[in-house]
Amino acid sequence: MTTELLIRPRTLCFRSSLSTGAGLRVGVEGFWLRLGDGLGEVTLLPGFGTEPPERAHAALAEAASALRGSAPPGSPDEVADRIGKIAILRETPATRAGVELALLDAGARHAGVPLAIWLGAELRSVRVNALLTDDEVDALASEARARAQENFDTLKLKVGAQPAERDAARLAAVRAAVGPNTRIRVDGNGAWSEAEARTRLQAFAPARLEFVEQPVPATDFDGLRKLRSLARIAADESIGVPGARDGLFGGKRPAVDVLVFKLPVVGGVLRARRYATLAWQVGVEVVVTSALDGAVSRAGAAHLACTLPVEGPAHGLATGHLLESDAGGYAISHGLCHLPDGPGLGIDPEVLGW
């Protein structure tokens, strides 16, 4: 079977707006991709580590030309080789992630095995955290209690959109609602200076956080490193800035305790796996998370998570319920993301209207 890259613009709308440290979000722009039987997805987050739409358009056009008439890849190494020959994808991580995923899905489908197995791992269910979205203290506590009763052992909150004392009160309410054993993590989306982050982290200390994700701007690697004296620190958007590898891993010790991979920011499954190997060598944990994207990209992230240690932190892939429509999304129950045993990603292209 020969392939041609098919491209369809898409807008994912949230059921309700989401408050973050970087502002209010109501949806995400991007593209659905199809390459033969393989599915891909481009999620654009300008300002959060991805290219802007006009650059993605150019990259998709170049990728479509380069891949026209090619057969399904025979191995993940062959996928990496094809991606490496498309120069513009080196500078467009979201497009790279989407095109690469379409190739990986096509190759695994052609081999007749789930993508995780094609990558050399075992197919399994993946532990996931619940993202709490209510802003008001009482409603947030009720939401936290409900998610804990559904057997989520890790909860995540967005912080930074409200004053420090308000966020501290929200965290205190969540901790009181779920007790001492449930893990709680927060994401500041780079909203604070190092000085403000210190004040926030001190105020958050009674909640006993698992880690604090991106408390300072993406380029402030020194700030991330210094804040490790107050809490376990995770990098998200920092992974997508120039010089990230030196910034995160240079010096006497890493800048963070945890790397948080969003496929459109890190540049795809294969690049994430290389990053993860480097992280483990210096004692940094790895979490795979949604970019609040659609079912296809989250599926790729779930298969990536299967290649990571089982005993690692919960992954951030239970976000499909935030979308108005989530055709093809994997089932989430009892704090687990359940991967289908079909070939490739296991998503029928017809479900997405192809």
Side-chain angles (χ1 to χ4, degrees), residues 66-251:
L67 296 172
R68 185 171 293 115
S70 59
S75 69
D77 286 343
E78 188 175 337
V79 173
D81 182 63
R82 292 189 192 182
I83 291 293
K85 291 178 179 177
I86 305 172
I88 195 171
L89 296 183
R90 298 169 196 158
E91 310 296 334
T92 51
T95 307
R96 177 192 181 103
V99 174
E100 178 193 271
L101 185 56
L103 281 165
L104 289 169
D105 189 27
R109 286 177 189 264
H110 187 69
V113 298
L115 177 56
I117 292 176
W118 205 56
L119 292 170
E122 293 184 3
L123 189 71
R124 58 180 171 86
S125 295
V126 174
R127 272 181 57 237
V128 291
N129 68 261
L131 177 63
L132 306 182
T133 59
D134 277 301
D135 290 328
E136 296 303 317
V137 172
D138 291 343
L140 184 65
S142 296
E143 185 184 10
R145 196 175 297 110
R147 298 295 86 77
Q149 290 172 350
E150 294 168 2
N151 292 324
F152 285 95
D153 64 13
T154 305
L155 307 177
K156 177 178 176 177
L157 289 78
K158 296 283 188 179
V159 293
Q162 302 192 39
E165 60 273 13
R166 184 68 173 176
D167 274 340
R170 294 170 70 230
L171 283 169
V174 170
R175 176 54 74 196
V178 301
N181 297 324
T182 299
R183 299 174 184 86
I184 301 173
R185 61 181 67 157
V186 298
D187 184 359
N189 286 118
W192 310 313
S193 66
E194 181 193 332
E196 186 177 0
R198 284 185 172 276
T199 300
R200 294 269 185 161
L201 268 56
Q202 289 165 350
F204 296 167
R208 301 185 307 281
L209 299 178
E210 179 190 26
F211 60 74
V212 179
E213 186 176 334
Q214 204 63 57
V216 295
T219 56
D220 189 2
F221 298 108
D222 191 48
L224 291 171
R225 187 174 282 106
K226 291 177 179 178
L227 291 170
R228 290 183 67 190
S229 65
L230 296 176
R232 297 182 76 234
I233 301 298
D236 176 356
E237 289 92 340
S238 290
I239 296 172
V241 304
R245 184 166 299 193
D246 288 341
L248 292 168
F249 300 115

Side-chain angles (χ1 to χ4, degrees), residues 5-12 27-35 38-46 50-61 63-64 89 92-102 264 291-298 345 352 354:
L5 184 64
L6 304 178
I7 304 162
R8 195 174 76 211
R10 65 104 173 102
T11 300
L12 301 178
V28 184
E29 301 294 328
F31 303 89
W32 297 120
L33 307 179
R34 182 169 181 178
L35 192 63
L39 299 175
E41 181 179 356
V42 178
T43 298
L44 298 176
L45 302 169
T50 78
E51 67 274 18
E54 61 273 13
R55 189 69 172 155
H57 277 284
L60 286 170
L89 296 183
T92 51
T95 307
R96 177 192 181 103
V99 174
E100 178 193 271
L101 185 56
L292 297 174
D293 38 16
V296 173
S297 187
R298 294 199 321 275
L345 296 175
L352 298 177
W354 287 109

